[in-house]
Amino acid sequence: MSPFPSSAPRTEQWRHIRLTRHDGVATVTLDRPGKLNALTFGAYADLRDLLAELSRERSVRALVLAGEGRGFCSGGDVDDIIGATLAMDTAQLLDFNRMTGQVVRALRECPFPVIAAVHGVAAGAGAVIALAADFRVADPTARFSFLFTKVGLSGGDMGAAYLLPRVVGLGHATRLLMLGEPVGAAEAERIGLISELTEEGQAQKAAADLARRLADGPALAHAQTKALLTAELDMPLAASVELDAATQALLMNGEDYAEFHAAFTEKRPPNWQGR
C-alpha cells in the first residue's frame, strides 16, 4: 500500500471497532460482546479503511486483532447483514462481498504483522479474518467454524478457499469448508491452523507479547518477509528466487543491515530503525 497521503484527514474516532495504540503496537478490538462481536456493514468498512490508513502512516509495526467478551467473532450479524442482504439486488450484493474481501486483502497486504488473539468462537467471517492474520494465538476455548455452506453459500467466501488450503492443506480445507463443522483448539493446533496455543484466558496477553517482540524487531525485514510470503504463493521457483535476490539486495543497502553488523561487532543488541 502506498505511504503517500491523500487530502483525507486521519480518522480520529472509529465508530464500529475499538482501536488503541502503544509504542508501535496497535490493538483492534471487535466490541459487540452481547452479540459475540458479530460484524456489521460498518465494522467491515472500518476494518478496511483502518488497515489502509495504518499502512499509509507507517507508524504501526505490529497489530493485534481481538474480541471483547466470550468470543473472538461469530461472523456476520444475522439480522444486520444476512437479513439485509435478502433485500439487495445483485449489484449491491457484489459491492458488499467485494468489501468483505477487501478486508482480507488489507490484512494480507498491510506492511506489518497481524496477530489474531482467539478465544471462544471464531465463526464464518470471524474465522476467515483470523485465518488472514499472520499469526493465530488461541487458548483452549477457541473453536473455528467456516459456516458458509451452513447458510447455503459457497465455503469459498472472503478468500477462504485460497488461504485455508495454504495453511492446513487441501484435505483439511475441503473438510472444513464443505462441512462447516467446528474445529476445537487442540485439532486446530494439530492441523496448523493455530500458531500458538496458550493457557485458558491467556491468548490476548500472548498475542500482545508477540506483537511487542515483532514491533521491537526489524520492521522493514518483517514487512518484506510478509510481502514475499504472500506474493510467492502463486509464483514458480525461478521467479521466487529472483524476487528474493532483488529484495535482499535492496535490504542489504538498508540501515538495519549495517546496524546488525555494528551491533555484532560491538557486542550489543541491534537498534532497529525499520529502514
Side-chain angles (χ1 to χ4, degrees):
M1 294 185 182
S2 171
F4 301 108
S6 67
S7 300
R10 177 184 181 184
T11 306
E12 296 300 328
Q13 182 176 3
W14 299 92
R15 293 173 50 200
H16 306 285
I17 54 178
R18 192 169 81 235
L19 172 67
T20 59
R21 307 175 190 232
H22 177 68
D23 193 20
V25 175
T27 301
V28 173
T29 305
L30 304 175
D31 194 11
R32 299 181 75 209
K35 290 202 169 187
L36 280 174
N37 303 316
L39 297 165
T40 62
F41 294 111
Y44 279 117
D46 271 5
L47 285 170
R48 175 200 62 196
D49 295 346
L50 170 65
L51 289 162
E53 195 168 291
L54 294 178
S55 297
R56 288 193 301 271
E57 287 181 4
R58 300 293 172 95
S59 61
V60 167
R61 301 189 298 277
L63 183 145
V64 175
L65 284 174
E68 187 64 46
R70 296 180 292 116
F72 177 71
C73 176
S74 59
D77 189 285
V78 173
D79 295 320
D80 289 357
I81 288 186
I82 297 179
T85 53
L86 292 174
M88 292 182 178
D89 61 26
T90 301
Q92 292 170 316
L93 291 169
L94 186 56
D95 285 341
F96 165 65
N97 284 290
R98 282 175 171 162
M99 176 175 67
T100 66
Q102 286 164 358
V103 173
V104 169
R105 283 192 59 185
L107 288 167
R108 295 305 315 142
E109 294 173 2
C110 61
F112 42 80
V114 177
I115 305 105
V118 182
H119 71 289
V121 64
V128 183
I129 286 172
L131 175 65
D134 300 291
F135 300 88
R136 283 158 298 284
V137 177
D139 80 2
T141 68
R143 60 189 188 278
F144 298 82
S145 301
F146 297 87
L147 295 173
F148 307 108
T149 59
K150 296 283 191 181
V151 300
L153 297 176
S154 164
D157 195 33
M158 297 173 62
Y162 177 90
L163 292 172
L164 194 58
R166 289 163 168 80
V167 173
V168 303
L170 180 60
H172 290 306
T174 300
R175 173 172 58 92
L176 299 184
L177 295 182
M178 285 276 192
L179 300 179
E181 294 175 345
V183 177
E187 183 185 1
E189 182 185 34
R190 179 180 66 82
I191 65 177
L193 185 55
I194 286 176
S195 311
E196 178 184 349
L197 184 60
T198 72
E199 297 294 326
E200 186 167 345
Q202 295 300 305
Q204 188 156 352
K205 180 183 183 304
D209 291 344
L210 177 57
R212 180 76 271 147
R213 176 183 172 187
L214 290 163
D216 289 342
L220 185 57
H222 291 158
Q224 291 306 115
T225 301
K226 176 172 180 172
L228 291 178
L229 283 167
T230 298
E232 293 181 18
L233 286 171
D234 298 313
M235 293 174 63
L237 177 60
S240 296
V241 170
E242 180 62 22
L243 182 58
D244 289 350
T247 301
Q248 296 296 52
L250 289 170
L251 291 179
M252 285 173 176
N253 274 317
E255 294 180 20
D256 280 351
Y257 187 63
E259 168 60 14
F260 165 76
H261 184 263
F264 181 83
T265 302
E266 297 166 14
K267 297 181 171 53
R268 60 172 175 81
N271 180 22
W272 304 115
Q273 297 298 311
R275 295 192 292 268

